[in-house]
């Protein structure tokens, strides 16, 4: 079964840090871009960050640039989101998702698998 | 920063056609994706990818189109179980920065 499972959420004070993890299984993790998106309470979905299959390219939404870092460990089939300088407005459910995939000969549309989410609450 | 614009809500009766639109300048040469979220905080479900392709398991009544700067999700013969929030998703011109539309709440009753 193709699956993504997030962990690492919790309650943190403003200015604090958290590291979210996302474990992939059931698919060739290392050929896919990976994505983090979030949803604040009562709000819509917001793209947060992307990382290329080899980790060589990373992109962030403006509001988290310089504070959040996306990384991956393909051997362990994990993608991470290191969050520093957390603010109240970062409070949200964070989802990881599978992006597009590429291997030597094929393209895989992806964009189809998301984890169940992990909740981050930034509050004093 | 790049934005995708969706109308906040659409309401139809069961069996009618629901059309949800998404506008954005880069849609003229970037794919649109559509997700349904039946409850806030739940994982989004892909219903259309690459403008008009339907993932396995998604009913045939779901279809998509993308023309110039307007993408559309059409549900032909909407059913009560189709209710939820629908989000379009695409990239800016660089292809590197992704964005969701604000979401459209579909009501079928």
């Amino acid at each position: 079964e193709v699956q993504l499972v997030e962990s690492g959420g919790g309650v943190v004070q403003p200015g604090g840090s958290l590291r979210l993890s996302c474990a992939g299984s059931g698919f060739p993790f290392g050929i896919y871009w990976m994505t983090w998106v979030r949803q604040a309470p009562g709000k819509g979905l917001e793209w947060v960050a992307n990382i290329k299959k080899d980790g060589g390219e990373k992109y962030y939404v403006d509001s988290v640039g310089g504070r959040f870092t996306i990384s991956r460990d393909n051997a362990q089939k994990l993608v991470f989101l290191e969050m520093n300088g957390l603010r109240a407005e970062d409070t949200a459910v964070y989802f990881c998702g599978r992006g597009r995939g590429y291997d030597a000969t094929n393209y895989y549309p992806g964009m189809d698998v998301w984890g169940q989410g992990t909740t981050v609450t930034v509050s004093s | 920063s790049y934005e995708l614009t969706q109308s906040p809500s659409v309401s139809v009766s069961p069996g009618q056609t629901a059309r949800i639109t998404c506008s954005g300048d880069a849609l003229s040469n970037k794919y649109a994706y559509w997700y349904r979220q039946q409850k806030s905080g739940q994982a989004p479900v892909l219903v259309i990818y690459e403008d008009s392709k339907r993932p396995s398991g998604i009913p045939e009544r779901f279809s998509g189109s993308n023309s110039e700067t307007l993408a559309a999700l059409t549900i032909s013969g909407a059913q009560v179980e189709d209710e939820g929030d629908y989000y379009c998703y695409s990239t800016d011109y660089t292809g590197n920065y992704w964005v969701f539309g604000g979401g459209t709440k579909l009501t079928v009753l």
Side-chain angles (χ1 to χ4, degrees):
Chain A
E1 179 190 7
V2 177
Q3 197 173 11
L4 293 168
V5 178
E6 303 94 337
S7 59
V11 180
V12 62
Q13 292 188 338
S17 299
L18 274 179
R19 189 194 199 204
L20 306 184
S21 300
C22 171
S25 60
F27 67 98
F29 185 86
I31 70 167
Y32 284 90
W33 283 75
M34 295 298 295
T35 295
W36 285 96
V37 306
R38 66 185 178 182
Q39 187 168 38
K43 302 294 185 183
L45 295 167
E46 180 184 36
W47 172 76
V48 175
N50 267 7
I51 185 167
K52 193 176 180 180
K53 61 178 185 173
D54 61 1
E57 295 180 36
K58 305 174 185 181
Y59 301 96
Y60 303 90
V61 68
D62 287 347
S63 59
V64 308
R67 300 187 298 124
F68 290 13
T69 302
I70 189 171
S71 61
R72 65 190 297 161
D73 180 339
N74 286 342
Q76 298 296 319
K77 298 187 176 183
L78 292 167
V79 61
F80 305 101
L81 188 67
E82 185 80 36
M83 305 185 294
N84 298 313
L86 283 162
R87 306 167 180 167
E89 54 265 35
D90 296 318
T91 294
V93 177
Y94 285 74
F95 300 97
C96 72
R98 179 172 82 168
R100 297 162 172 162
Y102 305 85
D103 61 22
T105 55
N106 293 304
Y107 159 74
Y108 305 91
M111 314 293 285
D112 56 344
V113 181
W114 299 87
Q116 83 291 346
T118 188
T119 300
V120 172
T121 303
V122 184
S123 174
S124 55
Chain B
S1 60
Y2 183 57
E3 293 183 354
L4 296 173
T5 301
Q6 298 180 239
S7 52
S9 63
V10 168
S11 183
V12 297
S13 299
Q16 288 189 328
T17 295
R19 186 170 184 260
I20 298 170
T21 60
C22 172
S23 66
D25 289 342
L27 288 173
S28 56
N29 57 14
K30 297 298 182 188
Y31 284 133
Y33 299 78
W34 290 94
Y35 293 93
R36 175 180 63 203
Q37 198 181 36
Q38 292 195 307
K39 185 178 178 181
S40 183
Q42 288 184 345
V45 174
L46 182 69
V47 296
I48 292 290
Y49 68 100
E50 295 181 350
D51 294 341
S52 58
K53 299 174 183 175
R54 197 174 55 249
S56 61
I58 300 300
E60 290 185 8
R61 63 180 180 272
F62 286 84
S63 62
S65 63
N66 187 356
S67 178
E68 295 298 324
T69 60
L70 188 71
L73 171 69
T74 301
I75 307 172
S76 303
Q79 301 183 8
V80 173
E81 58 262 35
D82 297 332
E83 284 193 333
D85 294 322
Y86 288 81
Y87 295 89
C88 60
Y89 186 51
S90 187
T91 71
D92 68 355
Y93 284 108
T94 70
N96 296 322
Y97 298 90
W98 290 78
V99 63
F100 286 96
T104 298
K105 183 175 182 61
L106 174 66
T107 302
V108 183
L109 55 75

